[in-house]
Amino acid sequence: MVNWHSLDTVFLDMDGTLLDLHFDNHFWLEHLPRRYAEHNNLSPEEARNTIIPMIMAERGSLNWYCTDYWSERLNLDITGLKAEVGERIGYRPHVTDFLDAVKSTGLRSVIVTNCHPDPLSLKLQRTGLDSRVDNIISSHQLGKPKEDPAFWQDLARLEPYRLTTTLMVDDSFPVLESARTAGIAQCLAILAPDSKQAARDKHPDIPSIHHFDEILPALRQRQPLPSGQ
């Protein structure tokens, strides 16, 4: 499923891969419409019918992930509202064991996320995730989302890497397809990003797992690449 012996870098999505996507789904589908309804004297159903189509229209763009954009568009403090339900932020199963194993086998671990820097800071404060990886890069630093194949070339300016020795792990099929199109050698899909929802069907062409315990034994057997490789 993953050829660990050929790798020196692991790129990791955050939301839905390392952290439970339930937080984000709950926020956008339930908490935000509720607070928008209160702010605009609407019923929850009216608020959802207003907000959800607006959000879906931006899917796959950088605006989809941008709290500044949605704060201005909805006239609400999106990051502040996210903090109201911050207790829902948490790791997915077996993630800390996986990250410990990545570190112990000498691989470089880099979070590559579409998360805006403001909610990213909130999630790091809640989880300490930044202490478990070597670097964190938000797509907002590059001005384009991971769904854009050009993102991966631009990423190399901030985090130099080799296509042939890199793995990308993500719960988004479009992101993984973008990474594969850009030439990243190995991709792995997460099928159970939200602990409150059923797992999705597998991608027809990209290997997949539900949780990291499925690949931990093979990872722990990895030997570091020879010096200079």
Side-chain angles (χ1 to χ4, degrees):
M1 184 174 294
V2 176
N3 181 0
W4 294 108
H5 302 286
S6 69
L7 298 175
D8 55 29
T9 302
V10 180
F11 286 158
L12 297 160
D13 172 52
M14 185 175 67
D15 302 314
T17 298
L18 302 179
L19 301 184
D20 191 344
L21 195 61
H22 170 65
F23 166 77
D24 296 280
N25 285 338
H26 172 79
F27 175 80
W28 292 104
L29 300 178
E30 298 181 43
H31 188 67
L32 176 60
R34 185 182 306 118
R35 300 293 271 136
Y36 185 82
E38 295 169 359
H39 187 74
N40 292 280
N41 196 28
L42 300 171
S43 70
E45 183 178 2
E46 289 173 325
R48 279 192 295 271
N49 290 340
T50 299
I51 290 176
I52 301 306
M54 292 169 59
I55 294 173
M56 295 306 294
E58 299 290 346
R59 189 167 193 170
S61 72
L62 200 61
N63 283 342
W64 165 276
Y65 306 100
C66 184
T67 54
D68 290 339
Y69 174 82
W70 291 113
S71 292
E72 181 177 351
R73 184 90 182 267
L74 301 175
N75 195 28
L76 291 170
D77 177 6
I78 298 298
T79 300
L81 294 182
K82 286 196 171 193
E84 292 179 352
V85 289
E87 75 280 354
R88 294 176 182 265
I89 297 170
Y91 285 104
R92 293 184 61 255
H94 310 289
V95 165
T96 56
D97 289 341
F98 172 76
L99 293 177
D100 288 346
V102 169
K103 181 173 291 188
S104 69
T105 52
L107 291 164
R108 181 167 177 81
S109 58
V110 180
I111 292 176
V112 181
T113 178
N114 279 327
C115 186
H116 184 276
D118 291 340
L120 173 59
S121 177
L122 172 65
K123 291 171 181 179
L124 298 182
Q125 290 172 14
R126 286 278 181 171
T127 64
L129 182 56
D130 50 332
S131 68
R132 295 183 174 273
V133 296
D134 295 307
N135 196 10
I136 300 177
I137 294 173
S138 166
S139 60
H140 296 263
Q141 296 172 247
L142 297 172
K144 54 177 67 73
K146 294 185 292 182
E147 288 86 340
D148 186 339
F151 169 88
W152 305 98
Q153 182 175 356
D154 291 352
L155 175 62
R157 298 202 306 266
L158 299 180
E159 177 64 40
Y161 71 98
R162 295 183 295 170
L163 293 169
T164 57
T165 58
T166 298
L167 166 71
M168 179 65 202
V169 187
D170 207 299
D171 67 301
S172 167
F173 291 167
V175 167
L176 291 169
E177 290 164 357
S178 169
R180 190 173 58 173
T181 297
I184 288 183
Q186 298 188 63
C187 292
L188 183 68
I190 299 295
L191 299 179
D194 185 329
S195 63
K196 306 299 183 183
Q197 296 184 7
R200 299 170 301 165
D201 293 333
K202 295 181 179 181
H203 190 282
D205 302 314
I206 297 174
S208 58
I209 59 172
H210 291 80
H211 300 297
F212 284 108
D213 59 330
E214 298 172 44
I215 56 174
L216 266 172
L219 169 59
R220 286 170 172 154
Q221 295 176 7
R222 175 192 181 272
Q223 297 297 318
L225 287 172
S227 178
Q229 288 286 307

